[in-house]
Amino acid sequence: MIHRSQFSKVSPKDLLNIGSFDLKRVLDFEPEFLEDLDQEHEHDTSIVSVSMKLDGEMNQEMLMRWMQRLVMEDGANLYRYKGVIAVKGKKEKFVFQGVGMLLSGDFQGEWKFDEARQSRFVFIGKNLDKKFLTEAFESCLVTRDLRFKVGDTVEANVGGFEKGTVIALWDDGNAYRIRLRKTKTEIWAPVDIDVYVRKPLMA
């Protein structure tokens, strides 16, 4: 379902059902939190460490849904995990950390002007599927241009498809912001696929 944006915004915490996260507080206790993602490891040979770094930006909706599913299905095998994510359409970094099924994260601190927008994570746990984790992470990466441009007429899925006009691209982490013709309501289409937004079937 498309998230409506006329009266409120949808927080990643609402999508993930996670608690509050204070990056400043974490850095007070663990100053190397943002610097040691490539060195995170465990000495126990029965424990697997999976880490990855990608240049580019993530689609917020796909990332949140993947993280939610991962924690729900594999939380028992996740001993510790953390990451810093560049989200398309957001000036802030999405920083997360977790233990088991306890995940916390939020947008905190803007990317610097000359800072590379990279997305990084590390997972430590038992019987982790490295191929699945890396491929799933890569699938959240924005790798192609959007199909529609500002001013285009589209049909948006709001329970049923309604005609509207694209008024913004990559708005607050969402692929499109669309103004519906009938109600003038503004909605978000989080992902650029036909499930959320499509070309009009009829003129």
Side-chain angles (χ1 to χ4, degrees):
M1 183 67 67
I2 291 176
H3 304 299
R4 295 185 179 271
S5 61
Q6 187 176 25
F7 301 108
S8 61
K9 294 183 178 181
V10 178
S11 166
K13 291 182 286 187
D14 296 330
L15 293 173
L16 288 171
N17 192 28
I18 58 180
S20 61
F21 180 82
D22 189 336
L23 177 59
K24 182 178 183 303
R25 179 166 55 84
V26 170
L27 292 176
D28 287 341
F29 287 95
E30 189 179 356
E32 71 282 4
F33 179 84
L34 298 179
E35 283 79 32
D36 71 343
L37 288 171
D38 296 323
Q39 287 79 40
E40 192 74 42
H41 66 277
E42 287 286 342
H43 298 291
D44 187 339
T45 57
S46 67
I47 305 302
V48 177
S49 176
V50 182
S51 62
M52 191 173 187
K53 179 190 295 184
L54 289 175
D55 291 325
E57 301 167 305
M58 296 285 173
N59 180 285
Q60 176 176 295
E61 176 79 2
M62 295 176 67
L63 176 68
M64 298 306 171
R65 290 188 180 278
W66 171 62
M67 291 179 66
Q68 182 182 49
R69 180 178 178 182
L70 179 66
V71 171
M72 292 297 294
E73 294 185 358
D74 297 326
N77 291 325
L78 293 173
Y79 295 164
R80 189 184 182 206
Y81 45 98
K82 60 184 180 179
V84 181
I85 308 298
V87 174
K88 185 75 172 179
K90 296 288 291 187
K91 296 180 180 179
E92 303 84 9
K93 301 175 182 180
F94 182 72
V95 186
F96 71 89
Q97 67 171 348
V99 176
M101 297 181 70
L102 300 176
L103 170 64
S104 181
D106 205 353
F107 287 102
Q108 302 206 8
E110 292 190 2
W111 292 90
K112 297 178 182 178
F113 177 76
D114 57 350
E115 186 177 8
R117 290 178 68 93
Q118 296 178 325
S119 295
R120 300 171 286 164
F121 77 76
V122 59
F123 289 89
I124 300 172
K126 187 176 182 180
N127 300 322
L128 299 183
D129 187 333
K130 290 186 177 183
K131 186 173 184 292
F132 167 75
L133 288 173
T134 54
E135 288 183 352
F137 190 61
E138 288 178 331
S139 72
C140 299
L141 193 66
V142 176
T143 57
R144 62 180 176 84
D145 294 334
L146 296 177
R147 295 175 295 163
F148 307 112
K149 62 182 184 297
V150 172
D152 282 353
T153 297
V154 296
E155 289 183 344
N157 186 355
V158 289
F161 281 95
E162 296 184 18
K163 283 189 178 181
T165 303
V166 176
I167 61 173
L169 306 180
W170 292 117
D171 184 68
D172 202 31
N174 298 275
Y176 301 103
R177 184 162 57 174
I178 300 166
R179 180 178 293 118
L180 299 179
R181 287 188 177 179
K182 288 184 178 180
T183 63
K184 306 302 181 183
T185 301
E186 294 182 5
I187 60 168
W188 278 326
V191 185
D192 186 22
I193 57 177
D194 282 350
V195 171
Y196 294 102
V197 57
R198 70 187 186 190
K199 292 181 179 179
L201 296 183
M202 298 179 62

